[in-house]
Amino acid sequence: MDTITGTDIYLAQTLLRAGDLVAIPTETVYGLAANALNEDAVLKIFQVKNRPAFNPLIIHCSSWEKAGQYVNDVPDKAIALARAFTPGPLTFLLRKNNMISDLVTAGSEKVAVRIPKHPLTQRLLELLDFPLAAPSANPFGYISPTTAGHVMKSLAGKIPYILNGGSAGIGVESTIIGFDENEQVILHRLGGISIEAMEAVLNEPIIIASEISMTKPLVPGQLKSHYAPNTPLYTGQIEKMLPGWINKKVATISFTKQFKAVPPQQQFILSPEGSLDEAAKNLFAALRSIDQLQVDVILVEIFPNEGIGRAINDRLNRAGAAFK
Ligand code: TXA
Ligand code: MG
């Protein structure tokens, strides 16, 4: 199969209607999209990504008006957070109705719903009379794509079309929240909307889901090892780790710092000006570039644990977990 990249939302519409897969840009990362109401199309996502079927998918709609067709009992707090942060990088786990198949939710009664903000994908979703099921457009376990080129690299020949919306503005996946029986907000995945921002809207603390199981994860983004590069990665204080790697080829990922002992082309400074937003945007592209460099090890700084910095640390810890 030839894979084409372009900006034609009508071609994307035609392919999706026919049950084909299309990679779509979002403000967080690129998604691998299929008609969420067509089980055969959704199955193709699992095949192309090599994704285990216990791992449920997010459905994407252009508006809550459309998304409302597929969910019941939306809590008041969900509405408040939706008003504040959507369209945008926040995903809601809500009770599904029977239009959404168990294949999409991996048997759960809750479906993950997201209203993405990217203008090209917004226009595409407006054209469609079905939601798009879309995980990140990477092979399972690897780094999420933030450009059309990243998608091409791993999915060329496997899907017909990549809708090119430039490089993702946020660069880490959406934050995922759910609600318990008491309408308490539970954080399932750190991401583009910070805990602090949501707590400011709710005026109360958010509970962080901590139950992690390797076989039936609450959210597979919670698998201990995920988003992993092929090169060993360690997090900590780079200056302290460097002496342990003398005579080895080292790459570094830092927030603002430069290191004299490391060749400049092996140093990835995510935001020289010290912006966590900019660092998040550059993170996955840096990990991918380093995988091409054939270094022995990636040494990574711990980022300030606030705002989107928490999501950065979360992804880096998971990227490193395979090498612990
Ligand atoms: O930013 C994003 O959320 C991107 C873009 C493409 O929208 N999507 C994304 O999808 O990151 P994915 O599949 O890579 O991660 C979605 C996470 C998975 O860890 C999945 O387990 C969780 O959402 N999830 C989806 N539906 C769920 C459900 N019903 N209950 C619990 N977790 C769910
Ligand atoms: Mg993913």
Side-chain angles (χ1 to χ4, degrees):
M1 181 189 298
D2 277 343
T3 304
I4 302 167
T5 301
T7 56
D8 185 347
I9 53 173
Y10 299 98
L11 175 56
Q13 176 191 32
T14 303
L15 289 164
L16 290 163
R17 268 191 186 152
D20 285 319
L21 302 187
V22 173
I24 56 165
T26 84
E27 69 277 24
T28 57
V29 299
Y30 275 68
L32 178 60
N35 176 350
L37 306 184
N38 175 340
E39 289 209 345
D40 293 330
V42 173
L43 266 176
K44 288 183 191 168
I45 294 178
F46 289 95
Q47 285 159 2
V48 164
K49 263 194 75 118
N50 238 328
R51 181 176 172 110
F54 62 70
N55 199 344
L57 303 171
I58 298 176
I59 67 165
H60 300 68
C61 296
S62 57
S63 66
W64 284 105
E65 208 177 345
K66 281 192 171 178
Q69 295 174 262
Y70 310 106
V71 296
N72 295 325
D73 311 329
V74 179
D76 288 344
K77 285 177 194 166
I79 294 170
L81 291 170
R83 286 221 171 94
F85 300 115
T86 64
L90 184 58
T91 296
F92 297 76
L93 297 177
L94 300 169
R95 199 161 295 286
K96 76 175 188 76
N97 65 24
N98 60 15
M99 291 180 75
I100 300 297
S101 89
D102 283 345
L103 185 61
V104 169
T105 66
S108 167
E109 281 154 21
K110 302 270 179 87
V111 61
V113 181
R114 170 154 133 70
I115 316 292
K117 196 175 186 167
H118 193 288
L120 199 56
T121 288
Q122 262 287 334
R123 295 212 321 267
L124 169 63
L125 289 168
E126 276 168 22
L127 291 178
L128 304 175
D129 53 7
F130 49 82
L132 290 179
S136 50
N138 50 290
F140 184 68
Y142 194 59
I143 304 156
S144 298
T146 52
T147 68
H150 293 164
V151 180
M152 187 60 107
K153 225 164 191 166
S154 46
L155 300 183
K158 296 185 173 159
I159 59 172
Y161 198 56
I162 301 170
L163 194 60
N164 187 352
S167 73
I170 293 191
V172 293
E173 295 83 351
S174 62
T175 299
I176 302 179
I177 52 168
F179 304 86
D180 70 9
E181 331 53 85
N182 306 316
E183 290 208 0
Q184 167 67 52
V185 181
I186 317 280
L187 179 88
H188 291 271
R189 179 174 73 182
L190 287 160
I193 299 292
S194 70
I195 297 178
E196 295 92 326
M198 291 188 289
E199 287 180 344
V201 167
L202 295 170
N203 242 318
E204 64 179 35
I206 284 173
I207 292 177
I208 297 169
S210 54
E211 248 198 84
I212 299 168
S213 134
M214 297 300 283
T215 46
K216 196 173 182 294
L218 251 128
V219 170
Q222 289 183 356
L223 280 171
K224 260 198 183 148
S225 163
H226 208 68
Y227 313 104
N230 298 316
T231 315
L233 179 151
Y234 298 96
T235 52
Q237 252 181 290
I238 293 177
E239 297 91 335
K240 286 201 177 144
M241 294 190 285
L242 273 172
W245 296 93
I246 284 173
N247 298 328
K248 297 280 184 197
K249 196 170 171 192
V250 173
T252 55
I253 299 180
S254 60
F255 187 19
T256 60
K257 267 189 220 156
Q258 247 180 317
F259 304 96
K260 283 210 186 84
V262 181
Q265 68 277 13
Q266 285 155 233
Q267 294 194 42
F268 291 77
I269 300 169
L270 297 190
S271 175
E273 273 99 67
S275 150
L276 284 173
D277 288 336
E278 186 185 18
K281 181 175 155 64
N282 292 330
L283 174 66
F284 288 154
L287 285 170
R288 281 172 181 265
S289 302
I290 292 173
D291 254 355
Q292 307 299 308
L293 286 178
Q294 314 276 10
V295 295
D296 297 308
V297 70
I298 312 172
L299 302 180
V300 185
E301 186 172 86
I302 296 165
F303 283 69
N305 214 33
E306 60 191 41
I308 203 166
R310 290 181 210 263
I312 296 174
N313 286 332
D314 171 79
R315 301 304 186 272
L316 287 169
N317 285 332
R318 285 178 216 285
F323 310 106
K324 286 235 164 82

